[in-house]
């Protein structure tokens, strides 16, 4: 993917979107209207702290599981998979 003049292009759960440069992956997921993951009992989870302490925003990024979405900046061409 070539850089977009409108922002950073990435794919979240198969859905292509553009977010502002500097946005976190958590912000991109929120913009896409998606969830993050589900607890063992099936309850939806989402970022709580926003600073990487709570681990509630874990997603798979470019094939690497258990990445904290609030701590990683969206990059051009990034592929994100949630469990939401």
């Amino acid at each position: 993917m070539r850089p977009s003049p409108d922002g950073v292009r990435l794919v979240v759960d198969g859905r292509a979107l553009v977010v502002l440069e500097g946005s976190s992956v958590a912000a991109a997921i929120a913009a896409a209207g998606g969830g993050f993951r589900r607890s063992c009992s099936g309850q939806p989870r989402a970022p709580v702290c926003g600073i990487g302490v709570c681990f509630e925003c874990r997603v798979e990024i470019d094939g690497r599981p258990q990445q904290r979405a609030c701590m990683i900046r969206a990059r051009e061409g990034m592929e994100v998979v949630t469990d939401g």
Side-chain angles (χ1 to χ4, degrees), residues 22-55:
S23 295
S24 68
V25 172
I29 294 168
F36 287 78
R37 65 181 194 88
R38 295 199 172 271
S39 68
C40 294
S41 63
Q43 298 298 312
R45 307 302 298 163
V48 176
C49 69
I51 59 171
V53 176
C54 71
F55 288 77

Side-chain angles (χ1 to χ4, degrees), residues 56-75:
E56 294 296 332
C57 64
R58 291 174 290 166
V59 296
E60 180 180 301
I61 299 175
D62 293 333
R64 294 184 60 210
Q66 306 298 319
Q67 301 298 301
R68 291 175 286 172
C70 71
M71 299 297 294
I72 298 173
R73 297 285 165 231
R75 294 184 311 273

